[in-house]
Amino acid sequence: MENHEMIKNRADKEREEGMGNFAKKRLIHGGDYNPEQWLDSPEILEQDILLFKKAKVNEVSLGIFSWSMLEPEEGKFDFGWLEDIINRLQDNDIDVILSTPSGARPKWLSDKYPEVLRVEADRRRNLFGGRHNHCYTSPVYREKVGIINRKLAERFGSRPGVLGWHISNELGGDCHCDLCQSAFRGWLKQRYGTIEELNRAWATTFWSHRYQSFEQIESPSPIGERDLHGLKLDWRRFVTDRTVDFVRAEVQAIRDGGSVLPITTNMMYFYGGLNYHKFAEVLDTASWDNYPLWHKGPEPETAAEVGVYYDIIRGICRKPFLLMESCPSSTNWQSVSKLKKPGMLLAASLQAVAHGSDSVQYFQMRQSRGANEKFHGAVIDHYGGEDTRVFREVSQVGEALEQLSELAGSQVKARVAVIYDWENRWAMEDAQGPRNKGLYYQETVTKLHRSFRRLGLNVDLPDMEQELDQYSVVAVPMGYMFRRGLGEKLKNYVEQGGHLILTYWSGIVDDTDLCYLGGTPHGLMEVCGLRSTEIDGLYDWESNSGIAVSGNSLGMSGEYQCRHLCDLVELKGAEAVLTYGSDFYAGKPALTEHRYGDGIAYYVCADFEEAFYADLCRRVALSAGIELLWQDLPEGVEVSTRENAHGEYLFIQNFNPSVVAWNEIQNQWQQIYGEVSEELPGFGTKVYRRR
Ligand code: GLA
Ligand code: ZN
């Protein structure tokens, strides 16, 4: 298995050589297409290709959920229809991303081998139905998936026009069957060696939950063990490892079939169940399915939230990713199926490209006629023609991607990192700590991310395992669990000149959720020049404030509101920049600064409003020597850059529905996309290039 260093080296090498990218010659425009639903209407399939050409669609993703049409009976394969459609697409210069069919299994498979069906946490085995309803451990399931994957790879895996592999579809969930239980025990044995060590790591003496052997351990359950944090955390890690291992087995079958094409799997919108960073071990490229609630609230807010996720996904394989799915109009599974207003599709699609996507892909290319997703938005709807608003807007996206074609494979480089870590998130959610009704981790990450983005800066969101040396500023919001010696890494980072923003509720527990002894933030008390002594949880209706200390070194002024959590620290060398405005801790530090080695550590004591982070991030970025081209971007305007051998590309996007005044930028930038004018139209995008 590759360790982190090896993955990093591989990623660096591939990045340099542009290997493992799906988009070789152009940005990809296409999406999920299920021609197998239309085999009895050949005229529709022909019409589809004509329409794809008109909309400048240059790719379709085939084979997603097609197992029962590819292997209608066990061992009887019918790839003819797929061959036909691939040939016709190829004749029309439309590429294919080929999916493995494991996202849903045929009826014959679960009838003959019931072990493939998933067992839920309450220990009930599911019946046939739905999708993702299978056990990732089952040897039979792996074997059957392996057979069909290998055959698909042998037949299609070296074709020109096949860009790469889409493994399964939106992997997720867990299985509690006997096979998974015993795999979990094996996993724990490997991790802990002895049962004594496991008992220590999970603190099982508490409530007399000690185990005498690994054989006694069972996965967490609503009718059983649900309070042992170490067990729950390790179960989630195991589920991630199991899923990664399942993907690894799928990939192996493809390689056995002789295909060397790049591999991806599509990750889910805001999904918390898997640590996606771990998928770097088995993927060439990460891809993401993006389904935001556009128009529910102000569009700039939605854009900012989506931006966080794009930047997380880009960081997984640390190179361009794919926007594997997005909806051309309205979904049919959200509580309200809202249409995208004119221009929204284009702006949302180009946002993906601005953040490092090499594709804009949709679910779905043609709306299915029946069953669960018949009313989900599609490029071609039941009407079937090109004279629809959605089709016209999809065509505009196609034109834009054609104009921006040279960006395929270009990189996003960032000097700022905000650490986002799934395992930390899991541990914190479970912790029974200072505020069980909501800690606002995600929101805090977003506030920091957005504050740096509003300065026109690209931002990376690595997990706790990634290297940090390349960043001038690293922010660690709510780093509750200091995994894998994060404290030590951050200490070195600051010592060598880095600028660190660390917040309250950081460095509290180790990898197995055992509290650090001897004071917190663990390993960084000296670096931050303070010790956290107590933390106050605030009711929803309570607030406090941070008031600037006059003459403070950061030059902050005024007062900022804070809520939810207030950390009380004792200074041991740090200087207070803000102090609390009220309660029994009025006058105590609320933001501090401390020089350590060649760098500076800032400690944010409370959950402050965004205006605070906006000020703090600007001052810290400047103090870290980052040149800021924009200190005051208009609300709702986003700036991003990508670069490659041709030069640097600058995206300016207006997520407001209305026009924003915009001075054209310096002449070394040449505009290559968008209206040339002294304004940014509502939902408008301009792209510039600098050689
Ligand atoms: C997911 C799935 C697709 C489809 C869409 C609908 O992203 O991967 O198969 O169900 O949702 O929005
Ligand atoms: Zn199982």
Side-chain angles (χ1 to χ4, degrees), residues 9 26 42 49 82 104 218 229 286 363 374 392 421 442 458 583 602 628:
N9 291 340
R26 56 190 177 192
I49 292 190
L82 186 56
E218 287 175 77
H229 297 165
F363 181 88
K374 58 185 176 296
R392 280 191 294 272
D421 193 286
Q442 207 91 1
N458 293 334
D583 215 322
Y602 302 91
L628 299 180

Side-chain angles (χ1 to χ4, degrees), residues 288 290 306-314 321 323 351-352 355:
W288 191 47
N290 181 27
V306 170
V308 172
Y309 273 81
Y310 280 140
D311 290 349
I312 292 174
I313 298 295
R314 186 185 65 244
F321 61 93
L323 171 60
Q351 187 189 14
H355 282 260

Side-chain angles (χ1 to χ4, degrees), residues 29 61 88-89 101 121 128 173 189 208 224 236 262 358 390 428 431 453 468 512 532 551 572 575 581 605 608 610 639:
H29 186 220
S61 307
R88 264 181 295 139
L89 289 163
F128 174 78
K189 224 178 271 180
S208 252
R236 295 175 111 163
D358 269 355
V390 171
M428 217 172 351
R453 294 272 307 150
L468 303 172
T512 63
S532 158
K572 293 185 172 171
E575 232 176 80
C605 302
F608 277 107
E610 195 164 321
V639 173

Side-chain angles (χ1 to χ4, degrees), residues 166-171 265-268 287 289 324-325:
H166 173 298
I167 300 294
S168 199
N169 190 77
E170 294 194 337
L171 298 147
T265 189
N266 52 337
M267 302 176 185
M268 273 181 271
S287 56
D289 299 346
M324 191 57 85
E325 292 180 25

